[in-house]
Amino acid sequence: MANDYFQFKKFTIRQDKCAMKVGTDGVLLGAWANLDHAKRLLDIGTGTGLIAIMAAQRNSELLADAIEIDPTAFGQALENVNNTPWQERIQLFQGQVQTFTPEYQYDVIVCNPPFFINSTKTPERNRTLARHCETLSHADILQVCDHLLDPEGKLCVILPIIEADHFIELALTKKWFINKLTNVCPTPTKPPKRKLIELSKAEDTHIEDSIIIEIERHIYHDTYIELTKDFYLKL
């Protein structure tokens, strides 16, 4: 991967102007979120535009909105979206999602959210915005989604284990239900480092499973290959 771009099978992500580069978390969430029968999706904190673009590739009927607070990242996301075959189905917005007022609700909302709550801030302002819960707390995410999601809609997020457990605890107190939980393990012998979480306001079957990234260094596990093979060049 060159530092200023990431080449996928069907699109390229330019990232030279973005604080947060393409990473495993975003790819996992973009490939994992259930888009079956979805007509409208919102990507909160889109960054490079990656997850919204992945969603448009996966579901040819989907209209994807993406919102980004950082003007520089917004400009890069716009560049990336406009260089895809699905630009007519992806709409970008710049600003805070807390003040976002679309005229419709969403079937799916995805968010690769800030997860550092009380840790040391980075000197880069735009990187801090992307990584720390300064302008978008986990409570904010749940409150926004309460208004923007269709009553039968799904919220999908990815978080490190400790932050994921706190997020789930908070969601349960606000009358959300956990529909699906996927533990992400680096290798077969290491404990999970991330959780993929699907929530809704309607109680549904609770599914829990796991994904393993690698068998050993640069040898990917079948579960990871199956999930991401439509995107990565070498899978």
Side-chain angles (χ1 to χ4, degrees), residues 19-167:
M20 297 306 297
K21 311 302 184 186
V22 171
T24 303
D25 285 7
V27 175
L28 279 168
L29 182 58
W32 178 86
N34 186 351
L35 305 182
D36 293 348
H37 313 299
K39 298 298 183 186
R40 288 192 180 273
L41 172 140
L42 175 65
D43 177 16
I44 297 176
T46 195
T48 60
L50 171 66
I51 296 174
I53 292 169
M54 291 177 70
Q57 177 183 323
R58 290 178 56 202
N59 182 338
S60 61
E61 302 298 318
L62 186 72
L63 298 176
D65 289 349
I67 188 165
E68 172 56 49
I69 190 173
D70 177 42
T72 304
F74 169 80
Q76 186 114 76
L78 191 62
E79 175 188 5
N80 287 328
V81 166
N82 286 340
N83 286 326
T84 72
W86 315 290
Q87 58 179 291
E88 293 182 358
R89 292 193 285 112
I90 304 173
Q91 189 170 5
L92 290 165
F93 300 88
Q94 198 267 311
Q96 284 191 305
V97 72
Q98 293 94 323
T99 57
F100 184 52
T101 54
E103 296 179 350
Y104 40 77
Q105 291 182 308
Y106 296 94
D107 305 302
V108 180
I109 296 179
V110 291
C111 185
N112 181 8
F115 52 78
F116 292 133
I117 299 172
N118 295 313
S119 56
T120 303
K121 304 294 191 294
T122 168
E124 295 180 61
R125 174 61 182 167
N126 54 354
R127 191 169 173 84
T128 293
L129 281 175
R131 292 172 67 86
H132 294 264
C133 299
E134 270 198 353
T135 58
L136 184 66
S137 71
H138 294 168
D140 288 339
I141 293 169
L142 292 169
Q143 183 174 7
V144 162
C145 292
D146 214 355
H147 296 295
L148 297 183
L149 264 183
D150 180 86
E152 301 296 320
K154 312 292 186 184
L155 166 62
C156 300
V157 302
I158 185 168
L159 284 166
I161 296 299
I162 293 174
E163 290 79 3
D165 290 341
H166 290 161
F167 187 84

